[in-house]
Amino acid sequence: MCTYCTKELKYVNNSLNSEKLQITDGAIFTYYTTKNHCMSIVPWKGVYPAVLTPFKDDDSIDFKTFSLNLEAQMEAGVDGVILSGSLGEASTLSNDEKTALLRYTMEQVNKRIPVVMNIAEQSTSDAIAAAQRAEKNGADGLMLLPPMCYKADSEETVQYFKAVAASTGLPIMIYNNPVDYKIMVTLDMFEELANISNINAVKESTRDISNITRMINRFGDRYKVLCGVDPLAMESLCMGADGWVAGLVDAFPKETVAIYRLVKAGYYQEALKIYRWFLPVLELDIHPKLVQYIKIAASLTGIGTENVRPPRLPLVGREREFVFSVVSDALENRPDLPDYLNLQPAEMFSGNNGIEHAASTEKR
């Protein structure tokens, strides 16, 4: 019996000398053992919100609003959450605040979904310390960025990743975002990391859809690939991405999960209808002020506030009006969603109306 999920387990060896955990309902998760017990389970599939960090007017963390949003995510059916990323304003959080957020989240989630901690540090020693601090405080996995500020070359970046991975038993998703962080994790670099058993996944944010196919062609299922760019999400899922590290999910959790579930069940037209409605909002994710933009969206859907921590400032004037207009237009035309949490695979049904057999329409 797994102490994490309380389900009956059996063990299957894999070629990397880690282990796989097979739950009796058929789902398979990679996990790692320390002192012969199950440390963490992260499937690296599905929707993983990069959650916001809400603040009160006095600049302290607003745990009440954080809890409200977190419950909305879990109710919508997300598959995990990521703390202290860019959307979480990690660069403005102290280590104590990050730890407090992690502990609060672990208590509220209560093992219902995995909790992943983001690691974005300037030095290898600080990254190792952050990884070990996250593990000590209960995180289920890590999202790991290349070294911050310094533009490390390929060998330096690989050695950085290896050093952090060696310091922890937690599973790791590499964040590959050369657009914003100026370091491209190439296929050859992933080849060098392939024998590191707890590096399992990549957040694919190169904005090159074909890179998903390159990863699959080169590595098969060695790495799980999760889209990290909201306006490319459905395209990425259709090309074989295993999941979606999402931003606008912070404001629209049900719609985000619905798109993922519909695509993976084979209901492409139904997913596309929602995605086309959603796209103008999703494009708010690729702006330098994405934090302010998405916080406005979350405030308009009732699960967030606009407060940001300096040096960020609240939006004013035409820019604020623009974001309000985009989100308000979406809310006025918000689609009804199918019962996306209870879909049957589309191939079980013939014709174009299979979803009517698989799911009834629900109201938000």
Side-chain angles (χ1 to χ4, degrees):
M1 183 74 70
C2 175
T3 58
Y4 183 92
C5 66
T6 70
K7 294 185 178 181
E8 294 295 333
L9 313 173
K10 62 181 179 179
Y11 300 99
V12 183
N13 291 330
N14 72 4
S15 60
L16 295 172
N17 297 319
S18 61
E19 291 176 315
K20 283 187 176 180
L21 179 79
Q22 184 166 334
I23 299 178
T24 53
D25 64 7
I28 296 178
F29 306 90
T30 304
Y31 86 107
Y32 302 88
T33 56
T34 300
K35 298 182 180 178
N36 298 318
H37 68 279
C38 179
M39 289 297 293
S40 63
I41 304 171
V42 183
W44 301 121
K45 294 179 67 175
V47 175
Y48 285 69
V51 295
L52 300 166
T53 302
F55 298 106
K56 299 179 182 179
D57 291 341
D58 66 4
D59 205 38
S60 62
I61 295 175
D62 183 352
F63 284 100
K64 183 178 179 180
T65 300
F66 181 82
S67 176
L68 174 69
N69 192 285
L70 186 57
E71 282 299 326
Q73 302 302 325
M74 290 189 286
E75 180 185 348
V78 301
D79 300 276
V81 293
I82 300 174
L83 301 178
S84 299
S86 299
L87 274 175
E89 298 177 70
S91 62
T92 72
L93 298 175
S94 69
N95 288 336
D96 286 345
E97 287 176 319
K98 292 176 184 178
T99 297
L101 273 172
L102 175 57
R103 289 177 176 173
Y104 187 92
T105 304
M106 296 303 301
E107 182 176 353
Q108 182 170 347
V109 166
N110 193 26
K111 302 180 181 180
R112 286 178 284 175
I113 55 174
V115 177
V116 176
M117 194 70 174
N118 183 56
I119 306 294
E121 300 292 344
Q122 297 184 46
S123 72
T124 302
S125 60
D126 283 347
I128 289 172
Q132 293 177 339
R133 187 165 52 247
E135 184 171 21
K136 177 182 177 181
N137 286 284
D140 298 303
L142 304 173
M143 183 170 75
L144 179 59
L145 278 75
M148 303 299 291
C149 297
Y150 172 61
K151 187 180 178 184
D153 66 21
S154 297
E155 181 61 20
E156 290 170 327
T157 302
V158 167
Q159 292 304 320
Y160 174 86
F161 288 151
K162 286 182 175 181
V164 177
S167 74
T168 177
L170 295 179
I172 293 171
M173 174 171 62
I174 300 296
Y175 187 2
N176 192 11
N177 185 349
V179 176
D180 292 319
Y181 299 113
K182 311 308 177 186
I183 295 176
M184 173 74 173
V185 186
T186 65
L187 269 65
D188 287 345
M189 293 164 71
F190 278 111
E191 187 75 57
E192 292 189 60
L193 298 169
N195 65 345
I196 309 299
S197 61
N198 62 329
I199 295 180
N200 311 126
V202 55
K203 179 182 176 183
E204 166 53 50
S205 297
T206 64
R207 306 193 190 183
D208 179 358
I209 292 292
S210 61
N211 207 46
I212 296 169
T213 300
R214 294 188 191 100
M215 287 290 294
I216 295 171
N217 285 349
R218 180 86 168 258
F219 301 109
D221 63 358
R222 167 60 186 86
Y223 295 105
K224 296 296 184 185
V225 179
L226 288 80
C227 172
V229 182
D230 275 4
L232 297 177
M234 184 166 173
E235 294 87 344
S236 297
L237 294 171
C238 289
M239 293 306 296
D242 301 286
W244 180 1
V245 177
L248 268 302
V249 67
D250 291 326
F252 294 91
K254 290 184 178 180
E255 288 84 355
T256 305
V257 177
I259 291 169
Y260 172 81
R261 297 289 183 97
L262 287 164
V263 170
K264 291 305 180 181
Y267 297 103
Y268 301 108
Q269 290 303 314
E270 291 80 5
L272 186 58
K273 181 179 178 181
I274 302 168
Y275 187 62
R276 284 174 172 163
W277 160 84
F278 206 5
L279 186 59
V281 178
L282 294 176
E283 288 177 331
L284 299 176
D285 180 61
I286 55 173
H287 190 277
K289 293 186 181 179
L290 77 164
V291 173
Q292 290 97 318
Y293 287 12
I294 295 176
K295 281 194 165 183
I296 285 177
S299 72
L300 290 174
T301 59
I303 55 174
T305 67
E306 291 187 52
N307 291 348
V308 290
R309 179 172 278 183
R312 290 182 178 87
L313 296 174
L315 299 186
V316 296
R318 290 184 178 180
E319 187 174 25
R320 188 169 185 271
E321 291 172 3
F322 165 74
V323 177
F324 261 78
S325 175
V326 170
V327 179
S328 297
D329 287 349
L331 289 172
E332 289 177 9
N333 299 287
R334 199 171 190 177
D336 290 327
L337 303 177
D339 185 10
Y340 61 86
L341 295 177
N342 296 292
L343 294 170
Q344 298 296 321
E347 61 266 23
M348 294 179 62
F349 305 95
S350 59
N352 295 324
N353 297 318
I355 196 167
E356 295 177 6
H357 300 275
S360 59
T361 298
E362 66 167 11
K363 299 295 182 181
R364 290 173 299 278

